[in-house]
Amino acid sequence: MPLVTAGVVVLDCVEPEKLAQFYKELLEGRQTEASANLVEVRGADGIRIACRRDTAATPPSWPRPENSLQAHLDFLVEDLDEAERRVVALGGRPLQTRDAHGPYEERGYADPAGHSFTLRLVQPTAPKQG
């Protein structure tokens, strides 16, 4: 039996209830735990994210160098445009501008509390036909 059986990504924030709601909706998941200072969400695919209250939390400044990238999350998606619309509708914001030419494999965003994450296009597993 492994020593560590499960992991949870914990994000510090001022308002854990609001941030947990963002991730619950984005990951089409459910809230699994809640206390005065921590709310945990389990996504539909099993990913676990907890939001912990820290009244002094400051968001990372990425991509600017001061207080830069502390950590970030990567989410695999099949449709970047659809996923972006969902992120923005839930209160997230784009961090990276895209060049108007060529394919885009990933895009950077911040959640409502300022934590950065990336939506990455799922690579097809089967070769192209035709």
Side-chain angles (χ1 to χ4, degrees):
M1 177 177 211
L3 178 63
V4 177
T5 58
V8 178
V9 174
V10 180
L11 301 173
D12 290 346
C13 59
V14 176
E15 298 178 283
E17 301 83 4
K18 287 184 179 181
L19 190 58
Q21 183 66 29
F22 171 83
Y23 282 108
K24 184 177 106 174
E25 295 293 327
L26 179 65
L27 302 173
E28 299 179 29
R30 59 187 171 84
Q31 181 177 311
T32 58
E33 284 187 42
S35 69
N37 291 313
L38 186 107
V39 180
E40 184 178 308
V41 170
R42 183 179 297 256
D45 71 344
I47 187 173
R48 294 168 59 190
I49 295 178
C51 303
R52 185 182 71 91
R53 188 177 318 279
D54 178 352
T55 57
T58 58
S61 62
W62 185 87
R64 297 182 318 273
E66 67 279 357
N67 189 29
S68 191
L69 186 64
Q70 298 164 355
H72 80 280
L73 305 167
D74 281 354
F75 297 110
L76 301 178
V77 299
E78 293 184 10
D79 184 326
L80 282 170
D81 292 332
E82 181 180 342
E84 179 174 285
R85 285 189 292 274
R86 183 180 190 116
V87 165
V88 171
L90 293 170
R93 62 183 169 81
L95 291 177
Q96 294 177 317
T97 57
R98 299 185 311 270
D99 186 343
H101 306 288
Y104 308 104
E105 303 296 335
E106 63 182 40
R107 298 177 189 168
Y109 301 88
D111 67 25
H115 302 101
S116 59
F117 65 93
T118 300
L119 298 178
R120 183 175 299 158
L121 190 62
V122 174
Q123 298 299 319
T125 55
K128 280 187 164 182
Q129 301 295 319

